[in-house]
Amino acid sequence: MQSHLSESLFGETFRPRVHFTPHRNWMNDPNGLLYYKGKYHLFFQHNPQGNLWGNMSWGHAVSSDLLHWEHLPVAIGCDETYGIFSGSAVIDLKNSSGFGSLENPPMVAIYTAHNHDGSHQSQHIAYSLDEGVTWTKYADNPVLDLGMKDFRDPKVTYEEATNTWLMTVAKPQDFKISFFRSSDLKSWEHLSDFGPLGATGGCWECPDLFPLEIDGVTKWVLLVSLNPGGYSGGSGTQYFIGHWDGKTFTPDSTNTRWIDHGRDNYAGVTFNNHPEGKRIFLGWMSNWIYADKYPTQLWRSSMTLPREITLRKLDGEISLISTPLDPGSEVVKTQLHITQGADSSLTFKDEKNFLTIAFDSATSEVVITRSWFIEDSPQRSLPITSESATLSIYFDNGSCELFSPEIGLTMTSLSLVTLDGARVTHQS
Ligand code: FRU
């Protein structure tokens, strides 16, 4: 539930109960995910003036639990020259940038300035001294410019050991992720490039690099979104697990692996500065194939449920596992038990629409089919190899998310089913 919204808006068809949606108008990627002073900050790609992509600016919302959000004014607005594309935010505790003070450290946003004519992209910064509410664009922007047409989506993190900032940024058309280092967020030194590797359809966007422990060993995870060419068609996010030596990322395997086997989880990245050191991921719950046609008017698009990302060994291979934060009783939660050799399914249905999750024993795949507003093929997982598993399923207005951490399965799908009057039916 979103506290500022009136009851009548909750009645609005497809407005989710717990998934984040913009109060009004268009949204795509999550940006600047950051925890500071008891609040999670969610900035997002936003058109403040309409329900289609355009006038790209950073919208802003805050939450203390990642489920209930308070909407704040547009944080960083586009101007006559640039759209404000995706990026990240940090708290500059030691005031390395000089934008604030040790008593009031600046929040610094690092984002892509996109020339409106599409000719050029470079990395800019802006800072806020009031916890992200108002922002000043740095006078000497850009801070990183390679003269490229496509060069975007910087994710910046702080590295304690070297007291420096690390930037992970995409060269979309080259299928490369570039790494840069800085001591003041203003001048950046190139470290290395990674790629092409794995899936190279469309272009590479919205990377994120972070460490995770498994069995006392630190591994590094690199997320790379690509569009089109995703696992389920259109937009999708792949991941690599490997080693980071402070300069170069070396993957353990060259296999293509996907964070989600559904069609609606794109451009997801993780929060900086989580208070308990957890890795919390949030994705844009849509797909560039049809994002602008989903049948809402006042607002468009929502985020996925927040998910904790961990590593687990499955079939002898270290895999990325997504576990959702419990959304509480405002959504419908159910389970489907699957066993090799036995078909089983579950359908969520209201008067007009349906979404079915089925285990197809002939192929061992989990398959999602839905009534949809354009032609739509079934969403199929990879074949399940374990003898049996339990799928935990979450339905909100207009979406379905399915998780089985024990087998490493995550599927995220928009739907046209609304909670009012909807029923779940099982078949086995
Ligand atoms: C990904 C993306 C980013 C870009 C933003 C523009 O969905 O294309 O690469 O920064 O959207 O809105």
Side-chain angles (χ1 to χ4, degrees):
M1 204 180 312
Q2 297 176 16
S3 53
H4 76 289
L5 295 170
S6 68
E7 274 302 313
S8 64
L9 277 178
F10 289 124
E12 201 185 305
T13 319
F14 305 127
R15 177 78 82 171
R17 292 193 179 161
V18 296
H19 293 75
F20 178 78
T21 48
H23 186 196
R24 291 281 188 274
N25 294 323
W26 170 270
M27 172 177 82
N28 55 292
D29 316 356
N31 296 152
L33 302 182
L34 176 71
Y35 178 86
Y36 187 50
K37 290 194 176 167
K39 285 182 190 157
Y40 293 92
H41 291 260
L42 162 58
F43 300 90
F44 52 91
Q45 286 289 281
H46 185 44
N47 179 356
Q49 285 158 40
N51 65 8
L52 296 175
W53 188 91
N55 307 307
M56 292 326 289
S57 301
W58 278 26
H60 188 198
V62 289
S63 169
S64 55
D65 65 0
L66 289 163
L67 295 168
H68 302 84
W69 294 92
E70 180 192 343
H71 290 251
L72 294 174
V74 168
I76 310 178
C78 62
D79 56 34
E80 315 80 68
T81 318
Y82 302 115
I84 312 298
F85 272 26
S86 286
S88 49
V90 298
I91 298 297
D92 184 11
L93 275 182
K94 295 183 181 160
N95 194 30
S96 67
S97 62
F99 291 142
S101 61
L102 290 179
E103 297 71 45
N104 188 22
M107 186 182 282
V108 181
I110 309 93
Y111 58 88
T112 299
H114 168 87
N115 281 61
H116 290 309
D117 64 5
S119 61
H120 182 215
Q121 294 181 337
S122 58
Q123 313 322 319
H124 285 207
I125 58 178
Y127 61 93
S128 167
L129 299 175
D130 59 3
E131 296 179 31
V133 178
T134 58
W135 291 81
T136 306
K137 289 174 185 161
Y138 177 48
D140 285 339
N141 277 327
V143 292
L144 181 56
D145 184 2
L146 304 183
M148 295 178 81
K149 180 173 172 296
D150 290 284
F151 178 44
R152 60 178 177 270
D153 309 338
K155 173 70 188 267
V156 174
T157 52
Y158 178 64
E159 219 183 59
E160 193 79 49
T162 55
N163 188 21
T164 56
W165 304 98
L166 178 66
M167 182 196 291
T168 305
V169 57
K171 292 178 177 164
Q173 307 295 344
D174 302 344
F175 308 108
K176 283 190 176 162
I177 302 303
S178 277
F179 302 103
F180 292 82
R181 196 179 284 290
S182 172
S183 54
D184 60 3
L185 293 163
K186 294 171 178 165
S187 76
W188 292 92
E189 176 203 348
H190 182 237
L191 299 174
S192 65
D193 279 1
F194 166 80
L197 195 71
T200 52
C203 58
W204 279 17
E205 306 181 313
C206 300
D208 193 2
L209 176 76
F210 52 86
L212 277 180
E213 299 270 311
I214 178 161
D215 301 334
V217 177
T218 302
K219 287 286 179 191
W220 287 76
V221 177
L222 179 63
L223 304 182
V224 179
S225 284
L226 70 150
N227 175 66
Y231 171 82
S232 190
S235 319
T237 301
Q238 62 178 331
Y239 69 88
F240 301 93
I241 297 175
H243 179 66
W244 170 252
D245 66 2
K247 229 184 144 183
T248 310
F249 176 78
T250 313
D252 291 345
S253 122
T254 55
N255 295 343
T256 303
R257 308 175 78 190
W258 301 92
I259 197 163
D260 198 303
H261 290 93
R263 200 162 285 150
D264 295 301
N265 178 2
Y266 191 60
V269 286
T270 63
F271 278 83
N272 278 340
N273 298 12
H274 188 278
E276 291 149 37
K278 291 182 179 171
R279 267 298 140 189
I280 305 292
F281 168 98
L282 202 64
W284 176 46
M285 190 155 59
S286 196
N287 192 310
W288 282 113
I289 294 177
Y290 44 64
D292 58 347
K293 297 180 194 69
Y294 189 82
T296 57
Q297 292 301 323
L298 276 182
W299 54 278
R300 213 169 243 138
S301 293
S302 57
M303 296 298 177
T304 64
L305 281 178
R307 298 143 186 216
E308 183 175 0
I309 301 266
T310 52
L311 296 179
R312 186 185 287 207
K313 223 174 220 167
L314 294 173
D315 293 335
E317 200 179 17
I318 300 176
S319 302
L320 206 64
I321 305 296
S322 298
T323 310
L325 262 63
D326 185 349
S329 57
E330 290 162 70
V331 303
V332 172
K333 298 183 215 174
T334 184
Q335 291 191 327
L336 180 67
H337 301 282
I338 61 173
T339 307
Q340 296 292 352
D343 285 345
S344 55
S345 73
L346 170 163
T347 296
F348 192 59
K349 194 172 182 330
D350 62 17
E351 275 181 12
K352 295 186 195 139
N353 291 292
F354 74 93
L355 181 140
T356 297
I357 300 164
F359 179 64
D360 178 349
S361 64
T363 60
S364 295
E365 295 162 343
V366 175
V367 185
I368 298 180
T369 37
R370 60 185 175 183
S371 51
W372 203 228
F373 51 88
I374 52 170
E375 201 181 312
D376 193 56
S377 59
Q379 303 169 52
R380 296 176 173 276
S381 72
L382 289 171
I384 307 298
T385 53
S386 65
E387 200 33 53
S388 64
T390 300
L391 315 181
S392 298
I393 298 160
Y394 300 79
F395 291 110
D396 197 345
N397 278 326
S399 74
C400 163
E401 286 159 284
L402 171 170
F403 301 90
S404 186
E406 57 183 307
I407 58 168
L409 179 66
T410 305
M411 294 178 81
T412 305
S413 174
L414 287 176
S415 84
L416 293 174
V417 186
T418 56
L419 296 187
D420 283 345
R423 288 183 39 205
V424 180
T425 22
H426 285 255
Q427 271 192 337
S428 53

